[in-house]
Amino acid sequence: MDYNALIQNRKSARQFTDKKVGDAVCTELEAYYRDSCQRLVPGISTELWIFGDNTRQALEGAAGYNEFLVGAPQYLVLLSEKAELAYENAGFMMEDLVLKLEDMGLGSCWLTFTDSKAVKEALGIDSPLEVAAIAAFGYPQKARKRMRINILSMSNVDISAKRHYFDPKRPVSDMVFLNAWGQTQGVDEHIGFYDDMLWEAFYAASLSPSYLNRQAYGFVISGGQVMLVSRPDEYNTEIDGKLSLGVVMLHFAAAASAWAGKVTWKLGSDAKQIALPEGYSVVASCAL
């Protein structure tokens, strides 16, 4: 797959046509999950379940997007064992599946949930694993012009008309720092621009979907490494925050790997050297 193109072209779908997703599509997705889907922590056990007709009615009240359940012909449900980094791994994997759907000409939308047991009971899932990520998918309807809301804070809400389902995202300049959090001097010279590998990897990261477009993370370049930093956010649940971290790691690694070969994240790192504010933490790092 051409990850850079898929990341840049994908828009989250909120409405779908009635066109049925064929069995061959689901078979291809299952094969991709089994044989090719990227994993952040390969040792964590997971299962992929695909649901079709009547799933929307079953999921009402158990899942949605900001309490709104997107109606779709099909739904992906990724299960995971309980483990450290389970949700980060699930976000990494599900976003790879979402980009596979885009590559197959299908639209998708991440859904939120808070209670794994409620989702499993609603869908009749018989598994010892827990629900870790959910996405709706199908053939998207053509987007009409509609209002989009970018929630910066409860007192700073930007509302604008968008013709596409394009979610506002933070620019690279607002999320990448050099040697210490908040230090922007020298960043442009270090990462280059447009066709440079580092800039493209950070640009792909800036396009990562997250709950309410909050993108509660950033990067610090220091000592020959890129460090992913999680920042506190009052609007993110723990699950949504961790899933978002997995998504952004997939975007960065996939884009960088197109230039530099296989790029992998080392989970955890020493945060003392980059002077993080209180409550911030280093999630992972990778070598430049």
Side-chain angles (χ1 to χ4, degrees):
M1 297 195 298
D2 184 345
Y3 279 101
N4 274 317
L6 293 171
I7 288 169
Q8 293 178 35
N9 291 330
R10 180 185 176 269
K11 305 291 184 293
S12 185
R14 297 290 188 267
Q15 293 180 307
F16 297 86
T17 70
D18 294 330
K19 182 178 179 181
K20 182 176 175 59
V21 176
D23 292 340
V25 170
C26 296
T27 298
E28 184 175 348
L29 271 176
E30 290 169 340
Y32 183 82
Y33 161 78
R34 182 181 62 249
D35 302 328
S36 304
C37 183
Q38 297 200 50
R39 288 160 168 80
L40 181 66
V41 187
I44 295 178
S45 297
T46 60
E47 295 175 4
L48 181 68
W49 291 58
I50 302 178
F51 294 90
D53 295 341
N54 301 320
T55 302
R56 178 178 183 177
Q57 291 82 354
L59 277 177
E60 287 284 358
Y65 179 78
N66 196 22
E67 301 183 357
F68 169 72
L69 181 60
V70 175
Q74 305 281 145
Y75 295 84
L76 294 179
V77 178
L78 185 65
L79 306 183
S80 174
E81 68 171 305
K82 291 183 178 180
E84 186 178 5
L85 301 169
Y87 289 114
E88 290 88 342
N89 183 61
F92 198 90
M93 293 179 65
M94 183 64 93
E95 182 66 5
D96 196 41
L97 290 166
V98 161
L99 293 175
K100 175 61 177 177
L101 289 167
E102 180 74 18
D103 192 48
M104 297 168 70
L106 293 158
S108 61
C109 177
W110 279 82
L111 302 182
T112 59
F113 69 98
T114 57
D115 189 338
S116 169
K117 182 180 178 181
V119 175
K120 289 174 68 176
E121 289 180 350
L123 297 178
I125 295 174
D126 182 14
S127 172
L129 304 186
E130 299 294 319
V131 175
I134 309 174
F137 74 97
Y139 294 96
Q141 287 187 4
K142 185 176 180 180
R144 297 179 179 178
K145 185 175 181 179
R146 57 184 58 212
M147 302 305 292
R148 300 295 294 158
I149 301 176
N150 189 22
I151 302 175
L152 304 177
S153 70
M154 293 310 293
S155 61
N156 187 0
V157 180
D158 174 56
I159 304 177
S160 58
K162 300 292 182 182
R163 188 165 297 280
H164 299 289
Y165 296 124
F166 181 78
D167 296 331
K169 301 292 191 294
R170 294 170 59 210
V172 171
S173 59
D174 284 352
M175 64 167 49
V176 182
F177 308 107
L178 188 62
N179 295 323
W181 185 264
Q183 175 61 51
T184 59
Q185 185 175 358
V187 171
D188 290 344
E189 293 80 2
H190 200 91
I191 69 175
F193 203 56
Y194 289 133
D195 289 337
D196 293 301
M197 181 275 285
L198 261 184
W199 189 91
E200 286 211 357
F202 285 124
Y203 179 60
S206 76
L207 297 177
S208 300
S210 63
Y211 181 64
L212 294 178
N213 307 313
R214 296 293 297 169
Q215 295 183 294
Y217 43 72
F219 299 90
V220 176
I221 304 170
S222 179
Q225 293 183 317
V226 172
M227 299 183 184
L228 173 63
V229 175
S230 174
R231 59 182 179 83
D233 188 280
E234 62 182 306
Y235 303 110
N236 262 325
T237 67
E238 181 180 7
I239 292 175
D240 292 325
K242 290 181 176 182
L243 288 172
S244 295
L245 291 172
V247 172
V248 72
M249 281 191 274
L250 185 280
H251 275 217
F252 183 93
S257 295
W259 291 77
K262 182 69 172 177
V263 172
T264 58
W265 288 97
K266 179 182 178 182
L267 298 167
S269 188
D270 181 9
K272 295 180 181 179
Q273 60 180 301
I274 56 174
L276 292 179
E278 184 178 355
Y280 289 56
S281 61
V282 175
V283 177
S285 63
C286 64
L288 295 177

